[in-house]
Amino acid sequence: MRAILGSYDSELTAAEYSPQLTRRMREAEDMVQKVHAHSSEMEAQLSQALEELGGQKQRADMLEMEVKMLQSQSSAAEQSFPLSREEASSLRLKIEELEGERSRLEEDKKMLEMQLERFTLQGSYDQSRTKVLHMSMNPASAAKQRLREDQARLQEECEQLRELVHALERGGPVPAGLEAAASLPSSTELTAPQIRVTAPEPAARPCRCGKMTLLFPRSPMLDLPCECRDQWPTSKELRKQVESAELKNQRLKEVFQTKIQEFRKVCYALTGYQIDITTENQYRLTSMYAEHKADCLIFKATGPSGAKMQLLETAFSHSVRELIELHLLRQDSIPAFLSALTLDLFSRQTVA
């Protein structure tokens, strides 16, 4: 560039120089300086790139050596792995067996939960977790007590009648202790089943054959020369009657228990609430759509005949304050409250 400018300047005379040419020359010199600076900068970048290339090449050589070492180690390890692979296959089989056993245990758990729910519906309970409180004036206990007293009284009367029959069969006089048994009241009624035991009155009455007149209790039956003497019931027949009455009584108890369980199931299926008696005049209601087992309502019967029911405060009742205010406080309707609560719990389960 300088040579070109020098030749150009040699051709020109001194008079032909102008400020314009001077300015252009300066610009050309500045450009030449910039080119030199750029070339030096590029040379520096090139040298730096060469240095980096050398470092990368060394790193590549090191990585290649490491790869070769790993390949040699893997080939050596593969030769010692056949036993480990067999162990891995056996462990895999064991895992599959454990998975199958786990699925089977889950099915058994579901079946046991269904059986527990069915037993709960039938009225059974866990004695370690549930405490049953019996009312002091329980009608069922009073009825059982009366039944036991009636059975004891009838058993005593049967024993007296057996002794009386044995005494009459022997043909001797009636013992003094059995005179009260010979003059029993006109009828003694049992609660269930109803049986009437009729004893002869101490007065003259005709015999079954119509030929003789028997006097009770003074004249023993076997001392009378009556032809229908053998037609009177023996002790064996009386014993059979007592056993039959006891069997009927036991069957009535079983039927009563069955009907109670059936009634509880029907109430649970129709209303959706399981009703349990916790204490005297208190009843616990548990919905079949309850999210937790502890979610229950407790009502207390108030008034002389228990006609009014009062809702007691529980942890679950706090979560249904809106329904209580609407249906109990404003509308004063317990059935509407229970129906709305059932719909609310059912909607929660269907949404979930």
Side-chain angles (χ1 to χ4, degrees), residues 150 153-154 157 161 180-191 194-202 205:
D150 293 340
R153 187 179 67 255
L154 292 174
E157 292 178 359
L161 288 175
S183 58
L184 291 173
S186 59
S187 63
T188 303
E189 296 184 358
L190 293 176
T191 303
Q194 293 184 355
I195 300 176
R196 294 180 180 271
V197 180
T198 304
E201 299 177 357
R205 55 187 299 182

Side-chain angles (χ1 to χ4, degrees), residues 299-313:
F299 287 89
K300 182 177 181 181
T302 58
S305 60
K308 294 184 179 180
M309 303 298 293
Q310 181 181 1
L311 178 64
L312 301 181
E313 186 176 1

Side-chain angles (χ1 to χ4, degrees), residues 273-286 296-302 306-314 316-317 320 324 328 332-339 341:
Y273 289 93
Q274 181 178 349
I275 304 175
D276 299 315
I277 300 175
T278 57
T279 59
E280 185 176 1
N281 297 331
Q282 288 189 7
Y283 305 92
R284 182 178 63 231
L285 275 69
T286 305
C296 63
L297 299 171
I298 297 179
F299 287 89
K300 182 177 181 181
T302 58
K308 294 184 179 180
M309 303 298 293
Q310 181 181 1
L311 178 64
L312 301 181
E313 186 176 1
T314 58
F316 178 65
S317 63
V320 291
I324 293 175
L328 294 183
D332 193 16
S333 176
I334 294 178
F337 167 67
L338 294 178
S339 301
L341 180 59

Side-chain angles (χ1 to χ4, degrees), residues 74-306:
S74 63
S75 61
E78 286 179 355
Q79 295 178 358
S80 61
F81 271 1
L83 182 59
S84 300
R85 290 180 179 177
E86 292 178 358
E87 292 179 353
S89 61
S90 63
L91 290 174
R92 191 178 295 108
L93 292 176
K94 287 183 180 180
I95 291 172
E96 292 177 356
E97 292 177 357
L98 292 174
E99 287 291 337
E101 186 176 358
R102 184 179 64 84
S103 60
R104 182 177 58 80
L105 291 175
E106 288 181 353
E107 293 178 356
D108 295 341
K109 178 185 176 184
K110 291 180 180 178
M111 292 179 63
L112 291 174
E113 288 178 351
M114 293 176 62
Q115 292 179 0
L116 179 61
E117 184 177 0
R118 185 171 65 253
F119 290 154
T120 304
L121 295 178
Q122 292 176 356
S124 59
Y125 60 92
D126 187 1
Q127 296 182 359
S128 61
R129 297 182 179 179
T130 305
K131 183 178 181 181
V132 179
L133 300 178
H134 298 280
M135 296 184 294
S136 59
M137 298 297 293
N138 193 350
S141 300
K144 290 181 180 179
Q145 182 65 25
R146 288 196 301 270
L147 182 60
R148 285 194 293 268
E149 292 176 357
D150 293 340
Q151 287 180 347
R153 187 179 67 255
L154 292 174
Q155 188 70 26
E156 184 179 358
E157 292 178 359
C158 288
E159 292 294 335
Q160 292 178 0
L161 288 175
R162 288 193 185 97
E163 294 179 4
L164 178 60
V165 169
H166 290 321
L168 294 176
E169 287 178 352
R170 289 194 299 268
V174 179
L178 299 179
E179 289 182 358
S183 58
L184 291 173
S186 59
S187 63
T188 303
E189 296 184 358
L190 293 176
T191 303
Q194 293 184 355
I195 300 176
R196 294 180 180 271
V197 180
T198 304
E201 299 177 357
R205 55 187 299 182
C207 183
R208 292 185 180 181
C209 63
K211 297 180 180 179
M212 298 288 296
T213 299
L214 303 178
L215 296 177
F216 290 96
R218 297 179 179 177
S219 302
M221 182 178 62
L222 296 178
D223 291 341
L224 299 177
C226 179
E227 296 179 357
C228 64
R229 168 180 173 178
D230 297 332
Q231 298 179 4
W232 288 92
T234 61
S235 61
K236 187 176 182 180
E237 294 175 352
L238 291 174
R239 191 177 295 107
K240 287 183 179 180
Q241 291 180 3
V242 173
E243 292 177 355
S244 177
E246 292 177 353
L247 180 60
K248 289 180 180 180
N249 190 13
Q250 182 64 27
R251 289 178 180 176
L252 283 177
K253 289 182 181 179
E254 295 176 357
V255 170
F256 182 70
Q257 293 292 335
T258 304
K259 290 298 181 181
I260 288 176
Q261 297 298 330
E262 183 179 354
F263 181 74
R264 286 172 58 87
K265 291 180 183 178
V266 170
C267 289
Y268 183 75
L270 293 178
T271 63
Y273 289 93
Q274 181 178 349
I275 304 175
D276 299 315
I277 300 175
T278 57
T279 59
E280 185 176 1
N281 297 331
Q282 288 189 7
Y283 305 92
R284 182 178 63 231
L285 275 69
T286 305
S287 177
M288 66 169 59
Y289 302 114
E291 297 178 352
H292 306 284
K293 293 182 179 180
D295 294 346
C296 63
L297 299 171
I298 297 179
F299 287 89
K300 182 177 181 181
T302 58
S305 60

Side-chain angles (χ1 to χ4, degrees), residues 62-78:
M62 292 176 64
L63 291 175
E64 187 175 359
M65 292 176 62
E66 290 179 358
V67 168
K68 290 181 180 179
M69 291 175 63
L70 291 174
Q71 287 179 354
S72 61
Q73 290 177 1
S74 63
S75 61
E78 286 179 355

